Amino acid sequence: DLRCERDSFPHGNWASIGIGAKRSRNVWLHDLNIHGLSGRGVMAGGLTNWTIERVRIIANGWAGWDGDVGEGESSNEGDIIFRNVEIAWNGCAERWQTGEPVGCWAQEEGGYGDGLGTGKTNGHWLIEDSRIHHNTSDGLDLLYMDESKTGTTVVRRVYAAANAGNQIKTAGNALIENSVVIGQCAYFHGKFNMTDGDMCRAYGNAISVGVGRKHTATIRHNTITGEGDCLILTAGGDASSRIDIQKNALVRPRALNSGDKGEMSCGHYADESKAVVNFSGNAFWNVKDDQCPSGNLCDRDPKLKGMDMADFDAVPLDGSPLIDHASQLSEVTSDYLKHARPVGAAPDIGAIEVQGVQAAAPAGGAVDSASEPQKATRFGAG
């Protein structure tokens, strides 16, 4: 029984929230390990100009970062920066003796499970050099950006994997680049207290992007795989809205983790959207209906280091058709590992730019959470 004692005194050595904040401005959270709370690691909304660096938010029973602090009080403003952050195993309890996640649950059983979620919000959000993985609902959920405001979202050099819903959600003006997104949304199948209804919530799309009138969303130089409905879902907008999908490797893995070998994932689907979608220089492989718009690399095995869902590795091997196959984007001069881009005759498709004979990437992602991060320009070039 993992239930915390709430009915009779003494209640024991536990707490519901690690850090709570409302109507707070100009805050720097750094070098923290926020873990093992019964509710939320962080519950904070109505913020202005917050920076979060070198922080781990791990195994908190309800959610990692919950930004919904009440209707009309949750919207954020200014720069909200997450840099070198790990958000993982939220929706799970933690064994205090070992740090092992246990008792994971989600919405079908009365829980929640987002890694990071907000109420309706504004602000200029930057999430970079971070790992968001194994949360029991969505990983990064910024779908509630207020499309009537001027907010922006930049997701750069992020490893998002094995979250039970969508890996990354944005709305409004957004940029997602140089990231590795592994939509292993059925990771929790048969594990802990997770039910089948909690697997691949919101159809398990790896990336979900919503746009409004006159918004632009750009998805470029990512390596994306998944076992949900689609690798990229776009929604909303009208003829004044634009979605640019450029230089991504869109790969469905050879094998799935869930035991369900059913319908194949699509590469991209526009859900009730009139936004103009532009594809350029992507690689599509093994996706539903062999989808591959004109002007993209079609039906070529990308030859990545790990091609199965359980051990997917985005590094292109020697002979990969992704190598030297993209045109240069002047805004993107480095890759997921902060290595130079391009190296060789032309840039590589996807998140990893092969350096010399072969790139060297850590199997678990781009960042060592214990190491000192390199500083990066806040909203500058990649």
mmCIF file of all heavy atoms in Angstrom, residues 237-272:
data_model
loop_
_atom_site.group_PDB
_atom_site.id
_atom_site.type_symbol
_atom_site.label_atom_id
_atom_site.label_comp_id
_atom_site.label_asym_id
_atom_site.label_seq_id
_atom_site.Cartn_x
_atom_site.Cartn_y
_atom_site.Cartn_z
ATOM 1 N N GLY A 237 -5.650 26.546 -37.069
ATOM 2 C CA GLY A 237 -5.142 27.513 -38.026
ATOM 3 C C GLY A 237 -6.014 27.670 -39.251
ATOM 4 O O GLY A 237 -6.999 26.955 -39.458
ATOM 5 N N ASP A 238 -5.646 28.653 -40.072
ATOM 6 C CA ASP A 238 -6.326 28.917 -41.327
ATOM 7 C C ASP A 238 -5.278 29.188 -42.400
ATOM 8 O O ASP A 238 -4.093 28.879 -42.210
ATOM 9 C CB ASP A 238 -7.322 30.075 -41.181
ATOM 10 C CG ASP A 238 -6.670 31.374 -40.728
ATOM 11 O OD1 ASP A 238 -5.432 31.513 -40.875
ATOM 12 O OD2 ASP A 238 -7.384 32.267 -40.230
ATOM 13 N N ALA A 239 -5.688 29.767 -43.510
ATOM 14 C CA ALA A 239 -4.761 29.971 -44.622
ATOM 15 C C ALA A 239 -3.640 30.944 -44.281
ATOM 16 O O ALA A 239 -2.627 31.006 -44.994
ATOM 17 C CB ALA A 239 -5.532 30.466 -45.850
ATOM 18 N N SER A 240 -3.785 31.695 -43.181
ATOM 19 C CA SER A 240 -2.717 32.597 -42.757
ATOM 20 C C SER A 240 -1.701 31.904 -41.857
ATOM 21 O O SER A 240 -0.681 32.504 -41.488
ATOM 22 C CB SER A 240 -3.310 33.799 -42.009
ATOM 23 O OG SER A 240 -3.797 33.416 -40.728
ATOM 24 N N SER A 241 -1.952 30.650 -41.499
ATOM 25 C CA SER A 241 -1.070 29.892 -40.602
ATOM 26 C C SER A 241 -0.102 29.062 -41.423
ATOM 27 O O SER A 241 -0.452 28.571 -42.499
ATOM 28 C CB SER A 241 -1.900 28.983 -39.697
ATOM 29 O OG SER A 241 -2.984 29.683 -39.115
ATOM 30 N N ARG A 242 1.098 28.867 -40.896
ATOM 31 C CA ARG A 242 2.136 28.162 -41.658
ATOM 32 C C ARG A 242 2.836 27.156 -40.764
ATOM 33 O O ARG A 242 3.172 27.451 -39.606
ATOM 34 C CB ARG A 242 3.149 29.174 -42.202
ATOM 35 C CG ARG A 242 4.294 28.578 -42.997
ATOM 36 C CD ARG A 242 5.288 29.678 -43.379
ATOM 37 N NE ARG A 242 6.440 29.131 -44.079
ATOM 38 C CZ ARG A 242 6.595 29.123 -45.394
ATOM 39 N NH1 ARG A 242 5.652 29.659 -46.164
ATOM 40 N NH2 ARG A 242 7.688 28.606 -45.949
ATOM 41 N N ILE A 243 3.055 25.965 -41.296
ATOM 42 C CA ILE A 243 3.808 24.928 -40.594
ATOM 43 C C ILE A 243 4.904 24.432 -41.535
ATOM 44 O O ILE A 243 4.619 23.917 -42.623
ATOM 45 C CB ILE A 243 2.899 23.765 -40.161
ATOM 46 C CG1 ILE A 243 1.823 24.268 -39.190
ATOM 47 C CG2 ILE A 243 3.723 22.660 -39.503
ATOM 48 C CD1 ILE A 243 0.734 23.283 -38.906
ATOM 49 N N ASP A 244 6.157 24.622 -41.140
ATOM 50 C CA ASP A 244 7.305 24.187 -41.925
ATOM 51 C C ASP A 244 7.906 22.947 -41.285
ATOM 52 O O ASP A 244 8.312 22.979 -40.111
ATOM 53 C CB ASP A 244 8.353 25.295 -42.002
ATOM 54 C CG ASP A 244 7.876 26.506 -42.787
ATOM 55 O OD1 ASP A 244 7.118 26.315 -43.753
ATOM 56 O OD2 ASP A 244 8.251 27.640 -42.424
ATOM 57 N N ILE A 245 7.962 21.861 -42.046
ATOM 58 C CA ILE A 245 8.521 20.591 -41.582
ATOM 59 C C ILE A 245 9.733 20.306 -42.453
ATOM 60 O O ILE A 245 9.600 19.977 -43.644
ATOM 61 C CB ILE A 245 7.458 19.473 -41.663
ATOM 62 C CG1 ILE A 245 6.246 19.828 -40.779
ATOM 63 C CG2 ILE A 245 8.052 18.134 -41.247
ATOM 64 C CD1 ILE A 245 5.086 18.854 -40.871
ATOM 65 N N GLN A 246 10.934 20.469 -41.876
ATOM 66 C CA GLN A 246 12.159 20.517 -42.669
ATOM 67 C C GLN A 246 13.241 19.601 -42.095
ATOM 68 O O GLN A 246 13.505 19.610 -40.890
ATOM 69 C CB GLN A 246 12.720 21.950 -42.691
ATOM 70 C CG GLN A 246 11.742 23.015 -43.152
ATOM 71 C CD GLN A 246 12.267 24.412 -42.866
ATOM 72 O OE1 GLN A 246 12.700 24.713 -41.755
ATOM 73 N NE2 GLN A 246 12.221 25.273 -43.868
ATOM 74 N N LYS A 247 13.858 18.819 -42.945
ATOM 75 C CA LYS A 247 15.099 18.081 -42.644
ATOM 76 C C LYS A 247 14.962 17.102 -41.480
ATOM 77 O O LYS A 247 15.932 16.806 -40.776
ATOM 78 C CB LYS A 247 16.278 19.033 -42.347
ATOM 79 C CG LYS A 247 16.264 20.362 -43.059
ATOM 80 C CD LYS A 247 16.292 20.270 -44.571
ATOM 81 C CE LYS A 247 16.325 21.679 -45.179
ATOM 82 N NZ LYS A 247 16.093 21.679 -46.632
ATOM 83 N N ASN A 248 13.758 16.594 -41.241
ATOM 84 C CA ASN A 248 13.547 15.630 -40.162
ATOM 85 C C ASN A 248 13.668 14.203 -40.684
ATOM 86 O O ASN A 248 13.302 13.914 -41.830
ATOM 87 C CB ASN A 248 12.151 15.815 -39.565
ATOM 88 C CG ASN A 248 11.918 17.209 -39.039
ATOM 89 O OD1 ASN A 248 12.394 17.578 -37.977
ATOM 90 N ND2 ASN A 248 11.174 18.012 -39.807
ATOM 91 N N ALA A 249 14.134 13.310 -39.839
ATOM 92 C CA ALA A 249 14.078 11.879 -40.116
ATOM 93 C C ALA A 249 12.842 11.326 -39.421
ATOM 94 O O ALA A 249 12.774 11.298 -38.186
ATOM 95 C CB ALA A 249 15.336 11.182 -39.622
ATOM 96 N N LEU A 250 11.854 10.915 -40.213
ATOM 97 C CA LEU A 250 10.581 10.405 -39.710
ATOM 98 C C LEU A 250 10.582 8.897 -39.930
ATOM 99 O O LEU A 250 10.400 8.414 -41.052
ATOM 100 C CB LEU A 250 9.414 11.079 -40.429
ATOM 101 C CG LEU A 250 9.359 12.605 -40.249
ATOM 102 C CD1 LEU A 250 8.425 13.236 -41.260
ATOM 103 C CD2 LEU A 250 8.927 12.958 -38.847
ATOM 104 N N VAL A 251 10.791 8.163 -38.849
ATOM 105 C CA VAL A 251 11.113 6.740 -38.939
ATOM 106 C C VAL A 251 10.193 5.950 -38.031
ATOM 107 O O VAL A 251 10.109 6.209 -36.822
ATOM 108 C CB VAL A 251 12.581 6.504 -38.509
ATOM 109 C CG1 VAL A 251 12.919 5.022 -38.557
ATOM 110 C CG2 VAL A 251 13.537 7.317 -39.360
ATOM 111 N N ARG A 252 9.502 4.979 -38.580
ATOM 112 C CA ARG A 252 8.772 4.042 -37.732
ATOM 113 C C ARG A 252 9.690 2.864 -37.439
ATOM 114 O O ARG A 252 10.322 2.325 -38.338
ATOM 115 C CB ARG A 252 7.496 3.548 -38.417
ATOM 116 C CG ARG A 252 6.627 2.663 -37.527
ATOM 117 C CD ARG A 252 5.340 2.280 -38.256
ATOM 118 N NE ARG A 252 4.448 1.489 -37.406
ATOM 119 C CZ ARG A 252 4.492 0.171 -37.312
ATOM 120 N NH1 ARG A 252 5.398 -0.516 -37.985
ATOM 121 N NH2 ARG A 252 3.639 -0.481 -36.540
ATOM 122 N N PRO A 253 9.804 2.442 -36.168
ATOM 123 C CA PRO A 253 10.770 1.397 -35.823
ATOM 124 C C PRO A 253 10.382 0.043 -36.391
ATOM 125 O O PRO A 253 9.249 -0.195 -36.790
ATOM 126 C CB PRO A 253 10.741 1.391 -34.293
ATOM 127 C CG PRO A 253 9.374 1.888 -33.966
ATOM 128 C CD PRO A 253 9.035 2.896 -35.014
ATOM 129 N N ARG A 254 11.342 -0.868 -36.359
ATOM 130 C CA ARG A 254 11.101 -2.216 -36.873
ATOM 131 C C ARG A 254 10.194 -3.012 -35.956
ATOM 132 O O ARG A 254 9.410 -3.824 -36.394
ATOM 133 C CB ARG A 254 12.434 -2.947 -37.024
ATOM 134 C CG ARG A 254 13.320 -2.396 -38.141
ATOM 135 C CD ARG A 254 14.405 -3.412 -38.482
ATOM 136 N NE ARG A 254 15.289 -2.908 -39.509
ATOM 137 C CZ ARG A 254 16.511 -2.430 -39.280
ATOM 138 N NH1 ARG A 254 16.965 -2.392 -38.041
ATOM 139 N NH2 ARG A 254 17.268 -1.999 -40.262
ATOM 140 N N ALA A 255 10.318 -2.802 -34.655
ATOM 141 C CA ALA A 255 9.548 -3.601 -33.695
ATOM 142 C C ALA A 255 8.983 -2.698 -32.622
ATOM 143 O O ALA A 255 9.578 -1.699 -32.250
ATOM 144 C CB ALA A 255 10.441 -4.681 -33.072
ATOM 145 N N LEU A 256 7.819 -3.056 -32.115
ATOM 146 C CA LEU A 256 7.158 -2.277 -31.076
ATOM 147 C C LEU A 256 7.294 -2.977 -29.736
ATOM 148 O O LEU A 256 7.509 -4.182 -29.652
ATOM 149 C CB LEU A 256 5.685 -2.065 -31.435
ATOM 150 C CG LEU A 256 5.441 -1.380 -32.780
ATOM 151 C CD1 LEU A 256 3.948 -1.161 -32.991
ATOM 152 C CD2 LEU A 256 6.165 -0.059 -32.855
ATOM 153 N N ASN A 257 7.117 -2.204 -28.664
ATOM 154 C CA ASN A 257 7.284 -2.720 -27.315
ATOM 155 C C ASN A 257 5.986 -3.289 -26.740
ATOM 156 O O ASN A 257 5.997 -4.112 -25.861
ATOM 157 C CB ASN A 257 7.785 -1.592 -26.411
ATOM 158 C CG ASN A 257 8.093 -2.071 -25.001
ATOM 159 O OD1 ASN A 257 9.057 -2.792 -24.800
ATOM 160 N ND2 ASN A 257 7.285 -1.666 -24.058
ATOM 161 N N SER A 258 4.850 -2.826 -27.258
ATOM 162 C CA SER A 258 3.583 -3.082 -26.579
ATOM 163 C C SER A 258 2.992 -4.453 -26.842
ATOM 164 O O SER A 258 2.065 -4.874 -26.169
ATOM 165 C CB SER A 258 2.556 -2.033 -27.025
ATOM 166 O OG SER A 258 2.266 -2.206 -28.396
ATOM 167 N N GLY A 259 3.484 -5.152 -27.843
ATOM 168 C CA GLY A 259 2.872 -6.409 -28.232
ATOM 169 C C GLY A 259 1.770 -6.225 -29.261
ATOM 170 O O GLY A 259 1.256 -7.194 -29.799
ATOM 171 N N ASP A 260 1.384 -4.967 -29.547
ATOM 172 C CA ASP A 260 0.348 -4.676 -30.530
ATOM 173 C C ASP A 260 1.020 -4.275 -31.830
ATOM 174 O O ASP A 260 1.571 -3.191 -31.957
ATOM 175 C CB ASP A 260 -0.553 -3.552 -30.022
ATOM 176 C CG ASP A 260 -1.646 -3.191 -31.017
ATOM 177 O OD1 ASP A 260 -1.742 -3.878 -32.061
ATOM 178 O OD2 ASP A 260 -2.399 -2.242 -30.758
ATOM 179 N N LYS A 261 0.999 -5.140 -32.823
ATOM 180 C CA LYS A 261 1.654 -4.885 -34.098
ATOM 181 C C LYS A 261 0.640 -4.370 -35.127
ATOM 182 O O LYS A 261 0.737 -4.632 -36.301
ATOM 183 C CB LYS A 261 2.316 -6.166 -34.629
ATOM 184 C CG LYS A 261 3.292 -6.818 -33.659
ATOM 185 C CD LYS A 261 4.493 -5.935 -33.379
ATOM 186 C CE LYS A 261 5.596 -6.713 -32.666
ATOM 187 N NZ LYS A 261 5.230 -7.128 -31.325
ATOM 188 N N GLY A 262 -0.345 -3.620 -34.658
ATOM 189 C CA GLY A 262 -1.461 -3.214 -35.505
ATOM 190 C C GLY A 262 -1.111 -2.138 -36.502
ATOM 191 O O GLY A 262 -0.027 -2.098 -37.065
ATOM 192 N N GLU A 263 -2.024 -1.196 -36.689
ATOM 193 C CA GLU A 263 -1.925 -0.193 -37.728
ATOM 194 C C GLU A 263 -0.635 0.611 -37.612
ATOM 195 O O GLU A 263 -0.214 1.002 -36.531
ATOM 196 C CB GLU A 263 -3.131 0.755 -37.622
ATOM 197 C CG GLU A 263 -3.241 1.728 -38.760
ATOM 198 C CD GLU A 263 -4.520 2.560 -38.675
ATOM 199 O OE1 GLU A 263 -5.236 2.432 -37.667
ATOM 200 O OE2 GLU A 263 -4.768 3.330 -39.611
ATOM 201 N N MET A 264 -0.025 0.890 -38.742
ATOM 202 C CA MET A 264 1.238 1.619 -38.763
ATOM 203 C C MET A 264 1.016 3.094 -38.446
ATOM 204 O O MET A 264 -0.040 3.660 -38.705
ATOM 205 C CB MET A 264 1.902 1.466 -40.124
ATOM 206 C CG MET A 264 2.286 0.040 -40.467
ATOM 207 S SD MET A 264 2.974 -0.095 -42.132
ATOM 208 C CE MET A 264 4.572 0.681 -41.898
ATOM 209 N N SER A 265 2.030 3.724 -37.876
ATOM 210 C CA SER A 265 1.975 5.148 -37.592
ATOM 211 C C SER A 265 2.132 5.946 -38.879
ATOM 212 O O SER A 265 2.930 5.590 -39.754
ATOM 213 C CB SER A 265 3.105 5.538 -36.630
ATOM 214 O OG SER A 265 3.055 4.789 -35.448
ATOM 215 N N CYS A 266 1.389 7.038 -38.984
ATOM 216 C CA CYS A 266 1.570 7.909 -40.141
ATOM 217 C C CYS A 266 2.713 8.882 -39.858
ATOM 218 O O CYS A 266 3.063 9.145 -38.704
ATOM 219 C CB CYS A 266 0.286 8.659 -40.477
ATOM 220 S SG CYS A 266 -0.158 10.018 -39.376
ATOM 221 N N GLY A 267 3.286 9.414 -40.930
ATOM 222 C CA GLY A 267 4.338 10.399 -40.765
ATOM 223 C C GLY A 267 3.791 11.724 -40.290
ATOM 224 O O GLY A 267 4.287 12.314 -39.328
ATOM 225 N N HIS A 268 2.745 12.202 -40.950
ATOM 226 C CA HIS A 268 2.116 13.483 -40.593
ATOM 227 C C HIS A 268 0.632 13.420 -40.893
ATOM 228 O O HIS A 268 0.203 12.810 -41.882
ATOM 229 C CB HIS A 268 2.728 14.642 -41.392
ATOM 230 C CG HIS A 268 1.915 15.898 -41.294
ATOM 231 N ND1 HIS A 268 1.051 16.305 -42.310
ATOM 232 C CD2 HIS A 268 1.798 16.818 -40.299
ATOM 233 C CE1 HIS A 268 0.451 17.439 -41.934
ATOM 234 N NE2 HIS A 268 0.889 17.772 -40.736
ATOM 235 N N TYR A 269 -0.166 14.065 -40.022
ATOM 236 C CA TYR A 269 -1.600 14.183 -40.255
ATOM 237 C C TYR A 269 -2.049 15.571 -39.811
ATOM 238 O O TYR A 269 -1.680 16.039 -38.727
ATOM 239 C CB TYR A 269 -2.368 13.115 -39.468
ATOM 240 C CG TYR A 269 -3.870 13.179 -39.682
ATOM 241 C CD1 TYR A 269 -4.436 12.786 -40.895
ATOM 242 C CD2 TYR A 269 -4.708 13.639 -38.669
ATOM 243 C CE1 TYR A 269 -5.811 12.847 -41.096
ATOM 244 C CE2 TYR A 269 -6.084 13.696 -38.857
ATOM 245 C CZ TYR A 269 -6.626 13.300 -40.072
ATOM 246 O OH TYR A 269 -7.975 13.371 -40.262
ATOM 247 N N ALA A 270 -2.833 16.242 -40.665
ATOM 248 C CA ALA A 270 -3.420 17.542 -40.335
ATOM 249 C C ALA A 270 -4.848 17.310 -39.870
ATOM 250 O O ALA A 270 -5.695 16.841 -40.637
ATOM 251 C CB ALA A 270 -3.385 18.456 -41.555
ATOM 252 N N ASP A 271 -5.107 17.612 -38.602
ATOM 253 C CA ASP A 271 -6.403 17.348 -37.977
ATOM 254 C C ASP A 271 -7.272 18.604 -38.041
ATOM 255 O O ASP A 271 -7.035 19.579 -37.308
ATOM 256 C CB ASP A 271 -6.186 16.932 -36.523
ATOM 257 C CG ASP A 271 -7.481 16.576 -35.816
ATOM 258 O OD1 ASP A 271 -8.489 16.349 -36.503
ATOM 259 O OD2 ASP A 271 -7.474 16.531 -34.570
ATOM 260 N N GLU A 272 -8.265 18.587 -38.920
ATOM 261 C CA GLU A 272 -9.194 19.704 -39.075
ATOM 262 C C GLU A 272 -8.434 21.028 -39.147
ATOM 263 O O GLU A 272 -8.763 22.003 -38.469
ATOM 264 C CB GLU A 272 -10.213 19.727 -37.933
ATOM 265 C CG GLU A 272 -11.086 18.481 -37.894
ATOM 266 C CD GLU A 272 -12.147 18.550 -36.802
ATOM 267 O OE1 GLU A 272 -12.195 19.563 -36.089
ATOM 268 O OE2 GLU A 272 -12.924 17.581 -36.684
#
